[in-house]
């Protein structure tokens, strides 16, 4: 238990300091390659053709196997690395565990990438800002105006507070570093295959449903912690709680609007709404009230909420582990 507390604290600090440097290989890249390889192999094995509606049962079965393969490899590889490191020396295993924990978190990288959008909006103009925001969102950004760019950045910060930081942190608190790898594998699958387009409508079902399940509790913990962060940061925490209660299900996903609703309420703005994806317009409900127009400074405010929420969950989680350790007499 003491080792897990040390590893998570160390990994969190490493993420705060270094973020996600481009020169360092990231496990998510490996997960992505496993997913792509599994997709190619399974489509050939099952004889799947995208245009054939009759293949939907095959696609669903292949999607389940894709999830099993991805999770198995994503957990087995780091487990073997840690086992081998432990055979050499326990401190080597602990050191590698700290680095692995650090790579499961995306706190600083989320702030860094979103602040590129902020700086582009303030200093460079719309085209650079569109390019910057296209790196962190899945929607089409070519025709976004200044407000649309800002909203997209704020929404990404709010949603990824849970997906990129709180959820992997909680899984590592509960299950150790391998819990973080499990979560990241599920999240990566959803981001790659969890779409309802012609290619993934059935084959991506297993990944999308699994992502909904593993994020259900973390998204709600993140929302509660974000309301607390709004209080400490002197934002409108009462409105955050009100909008959360009203709009937390204003999204196709049962989890995505949880932190987005809190963020919209705390900032006093309206988020979400219609957006284009792959050239197609998707009609989506709005979240929050349009008390004022979204502005570039809201990106900085959303990042403050991101950091405040993360620190609250980290502190509560480490205190919880310490309490369990004391109760067990360890």
């Amino acid at each position: 238990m003491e080792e897990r507390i040390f590893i998570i604290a160390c990994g969190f600090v490493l993420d705060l300091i270094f973020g996600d440097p481009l020169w360092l290989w990231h496990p998510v890249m490996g997960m992505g390659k496993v997913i792509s390889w599994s997709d190619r192999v399974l489509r050939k094995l099952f004889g799947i053709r995208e245009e054939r509606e009759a293949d939907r049962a095959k696609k669903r079965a292949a999607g389940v196997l894709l999830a099993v393969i991805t999770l198995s490899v994503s957990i087995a590889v780091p487990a073997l690395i840690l086992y081998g490191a432990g055979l050499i020396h326990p401190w080597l295993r602990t050191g590698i565990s700290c680095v692995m924990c650090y790579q499961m978190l995306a706190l600083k990288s989320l702030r860094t990438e979103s602040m590129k959008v902020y700086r582009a909006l303030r200093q460079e103009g719309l085209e650079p800002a569109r390019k910057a925001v296209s790196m962190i969102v899945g929607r089409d950004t070519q025709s976004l105006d200044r407000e649309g760019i800002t909203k997209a950045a704020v929404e990404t910060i709010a949603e990824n507070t849970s997906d990129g930081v709180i959820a992997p942190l909680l899984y590592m608190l509960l299950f150790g570093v391998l819990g973080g790898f499990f979560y990241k594998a599920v999240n990566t699958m959803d981001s790659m295959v969890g779409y309802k387009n012609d290619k993934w409508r059935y084959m991506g079902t297993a990944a999308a449903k699994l992502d909904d399940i593993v994020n259900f509790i973390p998204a709600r913990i993140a929302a509660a912690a974000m309301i607390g962060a709004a209080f400490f940061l002197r934002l409108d925490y009462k409105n955050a709680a009100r909008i959360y209660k009203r709009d937390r299900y204003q999204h196709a996903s049962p989890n995505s609007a949880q932190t987005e609703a809190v963020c919209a309420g705390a900032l006093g703005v309206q988020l979400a709404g219609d957006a284009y994806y792959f050239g197609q317009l998707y009609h989506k409900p709005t979240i929050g009230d349009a008390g004022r127009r979204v502005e570039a400074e809201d990106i900085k405010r959303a990042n403050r909420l991101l950091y405040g929420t993360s620190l609250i969950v980290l502190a509560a989680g480490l205190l919880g582990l310490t309490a369990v350790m004391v109760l067990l007499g360890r």
Side-chain angles (χ1 to χ4, degrees):
M1 197 71 73
E2 297 101 322
E3 183 183 38
R4 187 181 302 181
I5 292 172
F6 173 79
I7 288 169
I8 292 173
C10 185
F12 192 90
V13 171
L14 287 173
D15 182 53
L16 281 177
I17 296 172
F18 297 108
D20 188 13
L22 296 177
W23 55 265
L24 182 63
W25 183 85
H26 200 285
V28 169
M29 297 169 61
M31 294 172 185
K33 290 182 178 180
V34 171
I35 294 167
S36 297
W37 175 86
S38 299
D39 174 48
R40 292 194 302 270
V41 171
L42 290 169
R43 285 181 186 273
K44 289 181 180 179
L45 183 64
F46 282 82
I48 292 172
R49 296 180 184 176
E50 291 177 25
E51 68 276 9
R52 283 167 50 177
E53 186 72 12
D55 282 349
R56 66 172 65 180
K58 290 182 179 179
K59 290 176 181 178
R60 286 197 176 104
V64 171
L65 280 176
L66 185 148
V68 170
I69 292 169
T70 302
L71 290 172
S72 298
V73 174
S74 299
I75 294 172
V77 171
L80 287 172
I81 291 172
L82 292 175
Y83 176 75
L87 292 177
I88 297 171
H89 198 281
W91 278 108
L92 178 61
R93 181 191 63 211
T94 300
I96 293 176
S97 294
C98 290
V99 174
M100 286 181 171
C101 174
Y102 144 55
Q103 290 187 305
M104 294 300 100
L105 302 172
L107 179 58
K108 185 175 181 180
S109 63
L110 183 56
R111 180 185 183 278
T112 298
E113 294 304 314
S114 61
M115 287 304 293
K116 289 179 182 178
V117 181
Y118 172 81
R119 285 190 291 272
L121 285 169
R122 295 299 297 262
Q123 302 169 13
E124 301 171 31
L126 283 182
E127 283 306 317
R130 287 173 182 147
K131 183 177 180 180
V133 81
S134 72
M135 304 302 292
I136 59 173
V137 300
R139 74 192 65 181
D140 298 343
T141 62
Q142 303 94 317
S143 60
L144 290 180
D145 59 12
R146 185 181 183 86
E147 185 177 7
I149 293 167
T150 307
K151 283 177 64 176
V154 172
E155 290 165 18
T156 295
I157 296 166
E159 184 175 348
N160 283 285
T161 297
S162 178
D163 292 358
V165 184
I166 304 305
L169 180 59
L170 288 171
Y171 275 92
M172 287 189 289
L173 285 164
L174 290 172
F175 306 111
V177 172
L178 295 182
F181 275 84
F182 166 80
Y183 175 78
K184 277 295 181 181
V186 172
N187 192 244
T188 303
M189 279 192 293
D190 182 62
S191 66
M192 290 181 66
V193 309
Y195 297 99
K196 293 183 179 180
N197 54 26
D198 291 340
K199 182 175 182 180
W200 297 113
R201 187 178 303 276
Y202 303 110
M203 197 165 171
T205 299
K209 294 296 184 184
L210 186 58
D211 187 75
D212 286 345
I213 292 169
V214 302
N215 277 298
F216 189 85
I217 294 176
R220 286 148 183 81
I221 292 175
M226 187 176 284
I227 293 172
F231 170 78
F232 287 113
L233 293 170
R234 297 184 179 181
L235 294 172
D236 195 343
Y237 71 95
K238 291 182 179 179
N239 194 49
R242 182 181 69 85
I243 297 298
Y244 170 71
K245 184 178 180 180
R246 191 191 74 189
D247 292 349
R248 66 187 185 276
Y249 292 118
Q250 293 286 77
H251 199 283
S253 163
N255 305 314
S256 295
Q258 300 288 320
T259 46
E260 199 170 328
V262 176
C263 184
L267 300 183
V269 299
Q270 188 174 82
L271 301 176
D274 297 349
Y276 282 90
Y277 295 84
F278 306 107
Q280 182 176 350
L281 176 62
Y282 286 80
H283 296 286
K284 301 164 63 177
T286 57
I287 297 173
D289 296 327
R292 60 175 177 81
R293 295 177 67 88
V294 179
E295 60 185 17
E297 291 300 316
D298 287 318
I299 297 175
K300 295 178 74 173
R301 297 180 186 114
N303 275 313
R304 289 169 61 201
L305 279 172
L306 162 67
Y307 272 65
T309 304
S310 302
L311 289 170
I312 287 172
V313 174
L314 175 70
L318 295 182
L319 284 172
L321 285 180
T322 303
V324 170
M325 186 175 64
V326 171
L327 289 172
L328 294 176
R330 296 171 64 180

